[in-house]
Structure formats: structure tokens, C-alpha cells
Amino acid sequence: MKKEIRRSKVKELLNSEVTGKDVLVKGWVRTKRESRNVVFIALNDGSTINNIQIVAETSEFPENLLRDISTGGCIAVTGKLVESQGKGQKVEISASAIEIYGKSDPESYPLQKKGHSMEFLREIAHLRFRTNTFGAVFRIRHTLAYAIHKYFNDKGFYYLHTPIITGSDCEGAGEMFHVTTLDLKNIPLDEKGEVDFSNDFFGTETNLTVSGQLEGELGALALGEIYTFGPTFRAENSNTPRHLAEFWMIEPEMAFYDIKDNMDLAEDFVKYLIRYILENCSDDLAFLNSNIYKGLIDRLNFVLENEFRRITYTEAIEALLSAERKWEFPVEWGRDLQAEHERYLVEQYYKCPVIITDYPKEIKAFYMKQNDDGKTVKAMDVLFPGIGEIIGGSQREEDYEKLLARIRELKLPEKDLWWYLETRKFGTAPHSGFGLGFERLMLFITGMSNIRDVIPFPRTPKNAEF
């Protein structure tokens, strides 16, 4: 009985040191070219950015079979793994049998052998995974997600699943997606003429979450160290290259960490992730470095090779005011920093990644620990070259009276935050945390310029296709 051949992945075969063995490979046709007696097929199965060459002698196959193989089609190939006669790869497959799983019309197949704009590829998001660029991006996205879980697991953190549907607004921004089962054509109203949410599924107004932080703090104040990693949502009507309506956030929360511990963790965390990608995604990074952003690998090494400079917000303002240049956005104490300010500090003034602390409390969230000066809070932002802020965090306010006063000062709905306040009444403790936007980190690591190109199916204003 003939032994069945196990399917091998293209990546496995290209790295093989043994030739002369029978192999089975399955994948999608990238290109096909014909000479007088031989057909050459470049095959890719998604396991690597590199294709494997299939060599098919025309005399060994029916003419109509080879004719039906075209770019975009899907085939299975059985043959012998042999040393490649051409340049560019060590091995190729001398085909003995080919099965066509799915034909492709070469005339209408959208991915022709030419350059395509990113805008066009977003319109065919169901196929853009098959391009070299997006194959590289989404393999890196997987590896980066795995590295995040590995980092926290190895440090003893617990992965906490915080709710996607919530009744609280962590950021106080008010730009949230409402979740309801009410009949939008017949909305029930109360005696004040307002929506009667008592008839809704949850009996109260609910939204898609903007952050898992508040619930994450509850976990940290019992489990010690937790992290969340899940989708978050902002109903912000923004069409910039840095905004999505649906994106992923990593948010660790740690009991007994002060602001310095928080900064130490943030620096160690991002350096670990970058190092992991450099070690495990070298082929994809090399492609992106050559074709998307020429200085990509140098930029990643820049972060690894430099200690993060730690400065206060006041020192940052002084550095910006001393710069002999005109800013698009004004610089003065009490105003939030913009990307142009953040990038200047990293790329030109300090020439290393920067962590800014002690921001004015008026421009930061209610939960941040207040400093003794009464004007600033123990906030921290981590700034990277080319992108500006990549991490935002703080030591959290653990004092019940101070937290309650701040909530009332900002006129936040106290009744919706009773559970958050109670953690400060029953065994409060110093604690800290931060948030890292997964797609923003992906932009930095891949060199892509638009955030819509580092998430499989971008959700933006007027666009929820695919």
C-alpha cells in the first residue's frame, strides 16, 4: 500500500536541508510563466512571505490542466523536493501530480502583477491578505499578539476578560456606541420625554466599551497583577490615518505599583515586544523594510538601544518653548501636547524614547493620582519616534475622598461609579496601570502609514463593510 504523503507548509520546505523526498504542498498561485517545455508556478500558502517554485514538465500533464492554472487559483502539488536550478531559493518542487481546487479568472482577478494603492486594497479587503505586504503585516500582528500574552504570562499576570458592553464611560469622552434592543421606530419615553431604558434589555443605558481599565483595576485589587487585551470602541467621527472606531487595547493594572514601577514595566514591555518581533519575523520585516519604510529595522533597534528619557511635563514645555521653530499648535503650560511636539522631543531634542510624567490634572482623566502640588497628577505618556504617544498611563488615585471630590468636580455620574469608589473604601492600595493601543504599536513595528492597514477589517465612519 502506497504511503500517504503529509502536506508540508511552504515555510517548512524552503527551510529544509533534505532534498530528494516526495512532498505535498497546497496553496495559491502567485504567478505562472511558461517556456517551451516547462511551466513555472510560484506558490504561496501564507506560512511565509516567500513563494516556492513548482516546475511542471508540459509533457507530463494534460494541456487543459496547465492552461486552467492561473494567478489567484488554488492548487495541490505532489512532487519531489529538489535543489533549485535558478537563483533566489535553495529548493523547488519537480511536480508529478497537480490538482486544481479552485480556478481563477486571470482577466478579472483584482490582484494583478503590478503595484496597487493601499486605498484600492482597502476596497478589496477580502483579498488583500494575499498580497506580500498584508501577508507580512498580519503574520506580524499574530506574532505580536502572542508575544503580549507570553510576556504577561511569564511575569505572573492574569489575563482578565473585561466587558465589551458597559454602563460606564472610562474616559468621560461621551463618544460611545449605544447598545440597545429597543425598537428604533417606536422608542419608549418616560414622563420627562427621555428614553425609557427600563424597557431595554439591560434595564439601563449601555454602550460599547472605550476601555477595560476600570474593571481591570477591580481585578488587580484582588489578583495583584492583571492585563486586558480586547476590542474597544470610539464613536468619534474622525477620518484621519490614526483613528479607528474599533481597535484593540492592552491594559495592565498592578496593585502595589507606584508611577516609577509603572514606567519600568512599560519600558521593559515594549522593548520585549520589539525584540521578539525582530527575532521571529525577520523575513516579513526585511520585506517591509525594503518596500514600505526604508528605515524600519533601524527605528526598531533605536528603541532597543536607548534608555527611555524620563522628564516632567513642565520640563517638556520648557524644551519646546526653547526650540527655535514655529509650532502648528501653540505651546504653553496647561495645554495638551500634540504629535508634532512629542515627535520633536523624541527625534530632535532628546534623541531617544521619552516618558513624560506629572501632567496638569485639568487635561487628564479623573482616576489619576493627584500630586501634592494640587496642580498635577502622576500620569505618564511614552513617546516613540515617528508616532508620538504610544502608551498612556498613571498611578491611580487610591484615596476615597480625593477620588470622590474629583468625580464631583468634573460632574461625572457618581451613581454609575459606586462600585469603582467602593474599592477605595474596602482595603484600598496603591496601584498603577497603562494602556497601549495595539494598532498604534503595529504602525510603529510595520512601518505602515495608515492605521486601517494594520487591522484586518477597519471600522471607520461610513464604513463597516466585510
Side-chain angles (χ1 to χ4, degrees):
M1 183 176 177
K2 191 173 181 181
K3 185 179 178 182
E4 185 177 348
I5 303 173
R6 178 186 65 86
R7 179 175 80 92
S8 299
K9 292 189 175 181
V10 170
K11 183 177 182 179
E12 176 188 335
L13 295 177
L14 292 177
N15 291 329
S16 176
E17 299 294 331
V18 180
T19 57
K21 59 182 179 180
D22 292 326
V23 296
L24 168 63
V25 66
K26 301 176 182 181
W28 293 269
V29 177
R30 286 292 175 84
T31 60
K32 184 182 86 168
R33 60 185 177 87
E34 303 177 38
S35 67
R36 189 167 59 180
N37 299 315
V38 180
V39 171
F40 299 97
I41 301 164
L43 199 68
N44 191 285
D45 64 0
S47 61
T48 171
I49 198 162
N50 301 306
N51 307 319
I52 193 163
Q53 179 166 273
I54 311 298
V55 181
E57 301 280 348
T58 54
S59 60
E60 299 294 319
F61 297 91
E63 183 180 340
N64 63 329
L65 175 73
L66 296 178
R67 185 180 61 242
D68 286 345
I69 296 171
S70 62
T71 299
C74 184
I75 63 175
V77 178
T78 305
K80 201 168 287 294
L81 189 69
V82 298
E83 288 187 24
S84 180
Q85 301 301 305
K87 295 179 180 178
Q89 59 186 38
K90 297 184 299 182
V91 294
E92 61 190 21
I93 297 174
S94 177
S96 57
I98 299 175
E99 179 183 356
I100 298 177
Y101 285 148
K103 296 180 184 179
S104 177
D105 178 9
E107 299 300 318
S108 61
Y109 184 58
L111 298 173
Q112 299 296 324
K113 195 178 181 181
K114 62 177 182 179
H116 296 292
S117 71
M118 295 299 169
E119 291 81 3
F120 170 73
L121 292 173
R122 278 176 225 134
E123 294 172 6
I124 56 164
H126 59 303
L127 293 174
R128 68 176 182 168
F129 299 100
R130 298 193 193 182
T131 65
N132 282 334
T133 297
F134 286 96
V137 166
F138 292 120
R139 278 188 294 271
I140 289 173
R141 186 179 171 106
H142 157 78
T143 305
L144 187 59
Y146 173 80
I148 288 163
H149 287 297
K150 178 172 170 53
Y151 176 85
F152 285 121
N153 180 73
D154 291 352
K155 277 195 165 293
F157 281 60
Y158 297 105
Y159 180 29
L160 193 68
H161 296 122
T162 52
I164 290 173
I165 300 173
T166 179
S168 63
D169 178 2
C170 176
E171 300 296 331
E175 297 168 329
M176 303 178 76
F177 289 101
H178 297 299
V179 176
T180 183
T181 57
L182 294 176
D183 181 358
L184 298 184
K185 295 178 182 177
N186 186 26
I187 298 175
L189 304 177
D190 60 21
E191 62 263 12
K192 296 179 182 177
E194 297 177 348
V195 177
D196 185 359
F197 287 104
S198 67
N199 290 306
D200 208 349
F201 185 89
F202 294 105
T204 187
E205 185 176 3
T206 53
N207 310 287
L208 294 180
T209 186
V210 298
S211 168
Q213 178 204 315
L214 300 189
E215 294 88 350
E217 285 186 52
L218 312 186
L221 290 171
L223 300 171
E225 296 164 333
I226 66 93
Y227 71 104
T228 76
F229 184 9
T232 52
F233 308 85
R234 297 277 172 92
E236 186 176 353
N237 190 17
S238 179
N239 265 308
T240 77
R242 300 209 179 276
H243 286 88
L244 290 166
E246 176 185 284
F247 54 98
W248 287 66
M249 286 285 290
I250 303 103
E251 297 174 293
E253 292 290 330
M254 300 77 62
F256 316 118
Y257 273 50
D258 62 16
I259 189 66
K260 180 183 179 300
D261 300 323
N262 206 20
M263 289 189 283
D264 290 344
L265 182 74
E267 179 171 349
D268 186 64
F269 178 48
V270 291
K271 283 186 172 181
Y272 174 92
L273 297 180
I274 289 170
R275 192 178 301 112
Y276 195 92
I277 294 299
L278 283 166
E279 291 172 357
N280 291 277
C281 298
S282 55
D283 287 348
D284 288 323
L285 282 178
F287 172 84
L288 294 171
N289 189 73
S290 298
N291 296 276
I292 299 298
Y293 182 76
K294 299 295 183 187
L296 177 60
I297 292 175
D298 288 341
R299 186 169 78 175
L300 297 179
N301 282 316
F302 171 84
V303 173
L304 292 185
E305 292 164 2
N306 286 283
E307 283 192 21
F308 292 12
R309 181 68 177 264
R310 302 178 183 190
I311 63 170
T312 65
Y313 168 86
T314 301
E315 289 173 322
I317 293 296
E318 290 170 353
L320 294 168
L321 289 173
S322 70
E324 296 180 358
R325 59 180 292 174
K326 185 170 182 175
W327 300 107
E328 181 182 351
F329 296 93
V331 175
E332 64 177 290
W333 203 97
R335 285 182 178 267
D336 211 351
L337 301 181
Q338 302 298 319
E340 61 168 337
H341 309 139
E342 295 167 341
R343 290 188 59 182
Y344 170 80
L345 292 170
V346 173
E347 297 166 20
Q348 297 179 52
Y349 195 84
Y350 291 107
K351 294 184 170 60
C352 65
V354 171
I355 305 179
I356 301 179
T357 62
D358 302 306
Y359 282 81
K361 73 174 184 178
E362 303 307 328
I363 61 173
K364 288 298 182 179
F366 75 94
Y367 48 74
M368 296 189 177
K369 184 169 180 63
Q370 298 173 43
N371 285 320
D372 294 337
D373 61 13
K375 298 190 302 180
T376 61
V377 291
K378 293 185 184 296
M380 67 167 209
D381 285 349
V382 180
L383 313 182
F384 269 18
I387 200 164
E389 181 200 334
I390 197 162
I391 285 178
S394 72
Q395 186 170 338
R396 314 311 191 190
E397 182 58 76
E398 81 273 14
D399 184 286
Y400 176 83
E401 297 299 337
K402 288 182 179 179
L403 183 61
L404 180 60
R406 187 72 175 133
I407 287 172
R408 288 175 175 172
E409 181 185 342
L410 295 173
K411 295 181 170 58
L412 297 176
E414 195 177 322
K415 64 179 178 60
D416 294 338
L417 292 168
W418 67 269
W419 47 272
Y420 187 70
L421 281 161
E422 277 207 351
T423 59
R424 275 66 174 176
K425 288 172 66 177
F426 306 132
T428 192
H431 61 290
S432 300
F434 61 79
L436 169 61
F438 188 49
E439 283 74 26
R440 186 158 287 201
L441 181 60
M442 278 290 297
L443 281 179
F444 182 79
I445 285 177
T446 62
M448 301 295 280
S449 59
N450 194 310
I451 203 164
R452 302 173 195 202
D453 298 326
V454 294
I455 192 169
F457 304 105
R459 297 292 180 249
T460 53
K462 303 290 188 287
N463 177 40
E465 200 171 5
F466 306 106

